[in-house]
Amino acid sequence: MSIKIEHLNYVYSEGTAYEKHALKDICLEIPHGEFVGIIGHTGSGKSTLIQHLNGLLKPTSGKIYIDGQDMWEDKSKLRDIRFKVGLVFQYPEYQLFEETVYKDIAFGPKNMGLSEEEVDRRVRRAAAFVSVGKDLLDKSPFELSGGQKRRVAIAGVLAMEPACIVLDEATAMLDPVGRREGLSAVHRLNREKGITVVLITHHMNEAEDADRVVVMDDGKVIMDGAPRQVFTQVERLRSMGLTVPDTVDLLDRLRKDGLDVPLTALTVEECADAILAAVSK
Ligand code: ADP
């Protein structure tokens, strides 16, 4: 699924004392199958932006095109778009409310009016994809660990077979292992099924694996490029209160200590090679 955002503005509580211009003239194109990471400090507008992608919020001005179609032109199409764009929020508790894991995953596809057999097929396939075992399907979602809840929430979105999945700090509450597991499922989805992924994260090490990183600040997109282009701008990111991936941070410190290493080595292996090359010069 491709997304095109043109001059998007969003104002909360317009005309009141609480008015807040949360998105300012955002222009962004996300081609089909791309994996985009969005970073920015709290309050920079990330959540407001992604709530526009499935029509939870309506632009104050500007346009959003999904697969070339103006999202708000024909409101009858909005329902289809909501099924096509799956949102996973930070707190899975908000998305899990049925008695069993099975029913939770089945909720979305049921709402789409699919047959019982098709719903069952989708639930089992989605659960298997995110490694939610059969033994968990009959449990209450509240009996699960944080990582399992997250995967069930993702399975519920997957069962709707969306063309795009949007994760809003979806791994924020997890330990490093849980985060890795959740994210590897999302990467696999992107690679194997060609699903477009928009990932909001404050873990720079997660953003570095994206095809592209978008940086937001005060309601605007202020940087947009490949991870290597964005993360080499260390001082600019720090001035916005953001961090950089651990590898870049290490290289930056070594540079300041006089070692001639590039900042573009993002993976641990690249970073190690760069340091080895510099010390053996
Ligand atoms: P982020 O996701 O980057 O933390 P948000 O999109 O949540 O940022 O918020 C952007 C701005 O809009 C912030 O200044 C925030 O306080 C404000 N905001 C968010 N939600 C509301 C709301 N429901 N009503 C009024 N202002 C809001």
Side-chain angles (χ1 to χ4, degrees), residues 142-210:
F142 301 102
E143 288 176 63
L144 308 181
S145 70
Q148 288 170 330
K149 279 185 197 163
R150 173 77 48 219
R151 280 184 276 134
V152 170
I154 295 177
V157 170
L158 285 189
M160 296 170 76
E161 302 196 344
C164 173
I165 182 163
V166 181
L167 298 111
D168 189 357
E169 305 253 358
T171 61
M173 308 303 284
L174 298 179
D175 58 39
V177 175
R179 271 214 310 273
R180 231 184 352 259
E181 283 175 3
L183 263 192
S184 79
V186 175
H187 274 285
R188 243 176 347 111
L189 264 180
N190 173 252
R191 264 196 326 267
E192 293 172 14
K193 299 188 193 263
I195 291 181
T196 307
V197 176
V198 180
L199 173 81
I200 293 187
T201 180
H202 63 251
H203 292 284
M204 300 304 154
N205 296 345
E206 291 179 358
E208 77 179 36
D209 290 332

Side-chain angles (χ1 to χ4, degrees), residues 240-259:
M240 285 182 286
L242 298 172
T243 56
V244 291
D246 297 334
T247 45
V248 178
D249 182 55
L250 174 63
L251 294 170
D252 182 53
R253 280 190 279 149
L254 290 172
R255 275 169 76 95
K256 284 185 180 141
D257 285 342
L259 194 67

Side-chain angles (χ1 to χ4, degrees), residues 9-277:
N9 282 275
Y10 188 75
V11 183
Y12 284 107
S13 313
E14 200 172 12
T16 73
Y18 305 104
E19 185 169 298
K20 172 77 200 173
H21 198 161
L23 295 179
K24 300 171 183 168
D25 202 39
I26 304 270
C27 295
L28 204 59
E29 249 183 272
I30 302 176
H32 173 80
E34 194 167 56
F35 194 124
V36 185
I38 300 186
I39 60 176
H41 60 76
T42 304
S44 56
K46 304 178 301 293
S47 295
T48 307
L49 175 65
I50 55 128
Q51 286 179 68
H52 281 84
L53 300 183
N54 81 340
L56 279 177
L57 292 177
K58 186 177 180 190
T60 303
S61 68
K63 297 242 187 253
I64 300 170
Y65 298 91
I66 302 289
D67 290 332
Q69 187 184 356
D70 179 352
M71 190 163 162
W72 288 92
E73 193 182 64
D74 176 358
K75 281 198 190 139
S76 65
K77 298 265 165 57
L78 210 54
R79 193 179 129 90
D80 291 345
I81 287 173
R82 291 207 167 113
F83 290 145
K84 273 202 212 172
V85 182
L87 242 55
V88 184
F89 293 103
Q90 182 168 359
Y91 301 102
E93 284 75 8
Y94 292 158
Q95 271 172 304
L96 306 176
F97 40 78
E98 296 276 358
E99 301 144 43
T100 66
V101 166
Y102 183 97
K103 284 187 183 169
D104 254 319
I105 302 176
F107 182 81
K110 256 193 180 159
N111 252 353
M112 295 169 83
L114 300 170
S115 71
E116 220 166 286
E117 293 79 46
E118 175 65 8
V119 170
D120 186 65
R121 197 178 58 79
R122 286 189 179 203
V123 169
R124 291 178 193 283
R125 217 167 41 187
F129 196 86
V130 293
S131 310
V132 168
K134 288 193 186 82
D135 53 316
L136 289 186
L137 291 178
D138 295 326
K139 287 205 169 163
S140 156
F142 301 102
E143 288 176 63
L144 308 181
S145 70
Q148 288 170 330
K149 279 185 197 163
R150 173 77 48 219
R151 280 184 276 134
V152 170
I154 295 177
V157 170
L158 285 189
M160 296 170 76
E161 302 196 344
C164 173
I165 182 163
V166 181
L167 298 111
D168 189 357
E169 305 253 358
T171 61
M173 308 303 284
L174 298 179
D175 58 39
V177 175
R179 271 214 310 273
R180 231 184 352 259
E181 283 175 3
L183 263 192
S184 79
V186 175
H187 274 285
R188 243 176 347 111
L189 264 180
N190 173 252
R191 264 196 326 267
E192 293 172 14
K193 299 188 193 263
I195 291 181
T196 307
V197 176
V198 180
L199 173 81
I200 293 187
T201 180
H202 63 251
H203 292 284
M204 300 304 154
N205 296 345
E206 291 179 358
E208 77 179 36
D209 290 332
D211 296 324
R212 173 175 165 203
V213 178
V214 169
V215 185
M216 293 191 65
D217 188 48
D218 189 27
K220 289 181 260 190
V221 168
I222 58 154
M223 289 159 102
D224 180 356
R228 272 173 227 280
Q229 290 168 325
V230 170
F231 287 126
T232 42
Q233 301 185 50
V234 178
E235 297 312 326
R236 195 164 169 216
L237 290 166
R238 288 207 177 120
S239 72
M240 285 182 286
L242 298 172
T243 56
V244 291
D246 297 334
T247 45
V248 178
D249 182 55
L250 174 63
L251 294 170
D252 182 53
R253 280 190 279 149
L254 290 172
R255 275 169 76 95
K256 284 185 180 141
D257 285 342
L259 194 67
D260 183 21
V261 282
L263 286 175
T264 46
L266 274 182
T267 67
V268 173
E269 289 76 20
E270 287 169 353
C271 182
D273 288 347
I275 295 169
L276 267 177

